[in-house]
Amino acid sequence: MDKTIRNTTNFARRFKAQQIKELYDAVYSSVIASFSVSILIFYLFFEDIQSASGSANWIYLVWVITLCRGIDGYLYTNNKYNFLNCNKHLLRLEILTTLGGIGWGLIVWNYFHILSMEHQVYLMLIMVGATAFSTTTLSYSLSIVIPFMLTVLLPLEIKLLMEQTSFHTGLALLMLFYLVFQIAGTIRINKKYLLKISSQIEFKIKEKEYQNLQYAIDQHGIHSITDVQGNITYANDQLIKVSQFSEPELLGSNYRIMQSDEHSATFWRTMWENIVQGKVWRGKVRNRSKDGSHFWLDTTIVPFMNNEGYPYQYISISTDITKLKVLEQQRTDEKNDALIQAKVAQILQKQKSLKERMNEVLELLQQGLETPPETQQGIFLVNKKTQKLFFYTSYGDAQPILHNKHACFDKLLSLCNQVIGSGEISVLAQCQSLRINQGYYIIPLMHHSKVLGILLISTRPDPQPTDTRLNTLRYIGNLLGMAVINEQVKINLEKGRQYAEDVAKTKSDFLANMSHEIRTPMNGVLGMLGLLQDMSLDEQARTYIETAHGSANMLLNVIND
């Protein structure tokens, strides 16, 4: 309720201020007209005036009042606080205008009877013209224009009736009709003038509200207007700032100047079908700025329809949600990367060949990192002797990347060599490979501080690696490096076991051969000693033969062992 009262009071104050301004805007023209008419009367009726002693003084009165009106207009024009002094200005206008009317009325009253009939008609026409002119300059206020008309014309009406001739009576009757119709017309004009002022104030209020609303919208978010073809006709400072295009570059350009490759043709077709039918469309749109970076806008597009029901322009109001999208993507990447790490570790523990396990890892990275279908993932190992990369395995035909000459071959090879030397992940933003513009992650396969190879992953152009993504890739590189080392250790152990078995077999064969070769002469020695034992020998000789036979048996047992 209080707000309504305040708004009504404010409107009335502004209305009165505008009304007074319109009245004062005509002051100077009215002053010039008054001086001109008074001088015309003075010189036109000079001879008649001179015949009546003291009659010229009334012209001076009109001049003084007209001069006061001019001074009042000057004071109003140079007053900075007119809005606060409406009542005072209106009162001054009413007083000075009424005094001006009285001055002209006195001229009519004092001059009419001394003028010739011809000059009386001239004076009546001049007064009628003065009141008609007042209608165009003073009709913004009935409290000013009607008193002025009455003070000017009523003395003339009375003078005409006082002449008591049929001619003057006819003129008086015409004057009466003129006065009535002039007042009625003045009232109609006053209503139009006041309606004009009211419309102007309402328009200014609405214009100010629109400007405030537009300012608030511009401060809050991104605001643009396009025609039915999507050509930009207005772009606020926020859009210029976030898109990095200048205003001349945006105006007249199609909105596709900021379109990214994030959304499908179906997405855009659905949007256009909605707004062409006059429906409000809402959606989250990924755009591309002038430097190639991307920004997200939560956008509402409102179509404006003409009388035939067809859109003639679209207004887009958006909020920059790039930071929110980055946070959402980070949370998604964190969950996804944690899952990838667990799956990679699980795959590398399987009882399969190293190449089979690595192929499964590459397939998982293709799906888990959401890279485009045309991208390639490959693993290249370092040759121990030459320290050069050689192709090991791939997913998505990655072998040609480092083996065929193409536009980004030198860049990739140089970065790979840097990664081998530094052991740090490298990112290539854009590279034209196999007629496809891509980005690349180059990840070292690490074991302690030694680089065993390279994991090469192609991505969309301009990848934006977060710390979480880089940590995940670094972790996967370490796992793959450990798998390579384990495979090498396994191969070396297998070689060592085979070598030991070969050595043991060689030793066994050697001992078997030696046992066979020594046993043959030993059997001859034992046989001969046995024959000697069967012969008749003295006691000492027999003792010697038995000792030799026992020693030979002991040696034979050693050989058998």
Side-chain angles (χ1 to χ4, degrees):
M1 184 66 178
D2 293 340
K3 183 179 180 181
T4 303
I5 294 174
R6 287 196 302 270
N7 290 339
T8 304
T9 304
N10 183 53
F11 182 85
R13 186 183 294 111
R14 294 184 63 176
F15 184 92
K16 182 174 287 187
Q18 184 64 27
Q19 180 185 19
I20 293 171
K21 180 182 180 301
E22 297 289 348
L23 288 167
Y24 270 106
D25 285 344
V27 164
Y28 292 118
S29 61
S30 178
V31 166
I32 293 173
S34 295
F35 273 118
S36 301
V37 171
S38 60
I39 292 172
L40 175 64
I41 290 175
F42 183 79
Y43 286 101
L44 184 63
F45 309 139
F46 180 77
E47 294 181 359
D48 295 331
I49 293 172
Q50 291 299 317
S51 64
S53 177
S55 297
N57 294 333
W58 300 110
I59 290 290
Y60 301 145
L61 176 62
V62 170
W63 288 349
V64 170
I65 295 173
T66 303
L67 180 61
C68 290
R69 292 189 64 196
I71 294 172
D72 180 51
Y74 175 79
L75 294 175
Y76 174 85
T77 304
N78 290 274
N79 189 354
K80 298 180 179 179
Y81 304 100
N82 294 325
F83 187 79
L84 301 176
N85 301 316
C86 293
N87 293 329
K88 181 182 71 174
H89 291 305
L90 183 60
L91 180 62
R92 286 193 340 217
L93 276 171
E94 291 174 347
I95 293 173
L96 290 174
T97 305
T98 303
L99 288 175
I102 293 173
W104 285 111
L106 289 173
I107 287 178
V108 172
W109 186 265
N110 288 279
Y111 288 178
F112 191 82
H113 65 283
I114 63 175
L115 299 177
S116 63
M117 185 176 293
E118 181 183 0
H119 285 175
Q120 286 178 352
V121 173
Y122 289 163
L123 180 61
M124 185 182 70
L125 292 175
I126 290 172
M127 293 300 103
V128 168
T131 55
F133 180 75
S134 68
T135 303
T136 61
T137 58
L138 302 176
S139 290
Y140 285 97
S141 174
L142 291 177
S143 63
I144 293 177
V145 67
I146 291 179
F148 178 82
M149 293 174 62
L150 292 175
T151 53
V152 173
L153 295 181
L154 283 180
L156 179 60
E157 179 72 14
I158 295 172
K159 283 292 184 177
L160 288 172
L161 292 173
M162 289 175 62
E163 293 295 324
Q164 296 182 352
T165 65
S166 59
F167 176 74
H168 288 90
T169 302
L171 290 177
L173 185 60
L174 291 175
M175 184 63 64
L176 181 62
F177 281 116
Y178 169 77
L179 180 60
V180 171
F181 286 119
Q182 187 69 14
I183 292 175
T186 300
I187 293 174
R188 288 196 302 271
I189 294 174
N190 174 259
K191 290 180 179 179
K192 292 181 179 179
Y193 282 4
L194 298 185
L195 181 61
K196 172 188 173 183
I197 293 174
S198 179
S199 300
Q200 288 177 346
I201 294 174
E202 289 179 356
F203 175 78
K204 290 180 180 179
I205 292 174
K206 295 297 182 183
E207 184 180 33
K208 184 63 176 178
E209 289 177 352
Y210 171 76
Q211 291 173 350
N212 291 339
L213 179 61
Q214 182 173 352
Y215 177 78
I217 292 174
D218 288 343
Q219 295 305 307
H220 171 73
I222 296 165
H223 177 210
S224 64
I225 302 175
T226 64
D227 59 19
V228 291
Q229 282 79 35
N231 299 320
I232 301 172
T233 58
Y234 170 78
N236 71 342
D237 293 339
Q238 297 280 10
L239 179 59
I240 293 172
K241 180 180 179 181
V242 73
S243 69
Q244 300 178 15
F245 288 98
S246 64
E247 186 174 9
E249 289 174 324
L250 287 176
L251 296 183
S253 300
N254 194 278
Y255 224 98
R256 285 191 294 270
I257 193 175
M258 295 180 288
Q259 185 173 314
S260 68
D261 299 329
E262 177 72 18
H263 308 288
S264 64
T266 304
F267 176 87
W268 296 113
R269 185 167 56 251
T270 302
M271 183 269 290
W272 277 107
E273 288 175 353
N274 275 271
I275 62 177
V276 166
Q277 296 174 9
K279 299 177 182 178
V280 177
W281 181 86
R282 296 178 178 87
K284 295 178 175 63
V285 183
R286 186 178 189 236
N287 297 278
R288 185 183 68 248
S289 58
K290 186 177 181 179
D291 66 354
S293 60
H294 294 89
F295 59 97
W296 281 88
L297 299 180
D298 188 356
T299 303
T300 300
I301 301 177
V302 182
F304 283 78
M305 317 298 283
N306 57 24
N307 294 332
E308 288 75 26
Y310 296 104
Y312 64 90
Q313 73 175 13
Y314 305 110
I315 292 183
S316 173
I317 301 175
S318 307
T319 303
D320 190 351
I321 57 171
T322 304
K323 293 182 179 179
L324 179 61
K325 274 291 184 180
V326 169
L327 292 175
E328 289 179 356
Q329 189 63 42
Q330 285 180 354
R331 286 195 294 267
T332 302
D333 288 346
E334 287 173 0
K335 295 178 181 178
N336 186 51
D337 290 355
L339 184 61
I340 291 175
Q341 293 180 25
K343 287 185 176 181
V344 169
Q346 185 179 7
I347 290 172
L348 293 177
Q349 291 175 2
K350 291 182 178 180
Q351 297 300 318
K352 294 182 178 180
S353 67
L354 179 63
K355 184 169 291 188
E356 290 175 333
R357 286 178 285 157
M358 285 191 168
N359 286 336
E360 287 190 30
V361 169
L362 294 178
E363 183 178 2
L364 172 66
L365 295 178
Q366 172 82 12
Q367 299 169 357
L369 298 180
E370 298 179 352
T371 55
E374 66 274 6
T375 57
Q376 309 94 21
Q377 334 297 333
I379 294 178
F380 301 82
L381 299 182
V382 177
N383 187 294
K384 292 182 179 180
K385 294 181 179 179
T386 63
Q387 292 298 308
K388 293 184 178 180
L389 291 173
F390 67 91
F391 172 75
Y392 183 71
T393 188
S394 68
Y395 181 85
D397 194 21
Q399 183 174 1
I401 295 178
L402 292 180
H403 286 73
N404 293 341
K405 292 287 185 178
H406 50 79
C408 67
F409 172 83
D410 294 334
K411 291 182 181 178
L412 275 176
L413 193 59
S414 175
L415 287 176
C416 288
N417 291 329
Q418 290 179 18
V419 169
I420 292 174
S422 65
E424 295 294 333
I425 296 176
S426 183
V427 180
L428 181 59
Q430 293 190 26
C431 193
Q432 191 73 25
S433 170
L434 306 177
R435 293 175 296 177
I436 300 173
N437 193 21
Q438 297 174 327
Y440 288 92
Y441 289 126
I442 305 171
I443 304 104
L445 308 185
M446 301 291 296
H447 183 258
H448 298 304
S449 59
K450 185 178 181 181
V451 179
L452 305 176
I454 293 293
L455 169 60
L456 189 64
I457 301 176
S458 61
T459 67
R460 299 178 187 274
D462 300 311
Q464 301 296 324
T466 61
D467 291 339
T468 301
R469 177 56 51 84
L470 292 178
N471 290 335
T472 297
L473 295 176
R474 191 175 292 108
Y475 177 79
I476 293 172
N478 291 337
L479 287 180
L480 292 175
M482 187 177 297
V484 171
I485 282 293
N486 290 340
E487 185 70 13
Q488 292 177 354
V489 170
K490 181 179 177 182
I491 292 173
N492 291 335
L493 288 175
E494 182 64 25
K495 289 181 179 179
R497 185 184 64 80
Q498 186 65 40
Y499 176 76
E501 288 179 353
D502 292 342
V503 171
K505 186 175 182 302
T506 301
K507 179 181 178 181
S508 177
D509 292 342
F510 171 75
L511 292 175
N513 290 332
M514 290 299 296
S515 173
H516 176 74
E517 294 298 329
I518 296 173
R519 189 182 289 110
T520 299
M522 283 302 299
N523 286 331
V525 172
L526 289 172
M528 292 300 103
L529 290 174
L531 292 174
L532 287 175
Q533 284 179 338
D534 292 339
M535 295 177 65
S536 56
L537 299 171
D538 57 22
E539 191 63 28
Q540 185 177 7
R542 185 171 295 281
T543 300
Y544 290 158
I545 291 173
E546 288 178 354
T547 300
H549 190 273
S551 297
N553 280 326
M554 291 176 62
L555 180 58
L556 185 59
N557 289 335
V558 171
I559 293 171
N560 289 335
D561 291 339

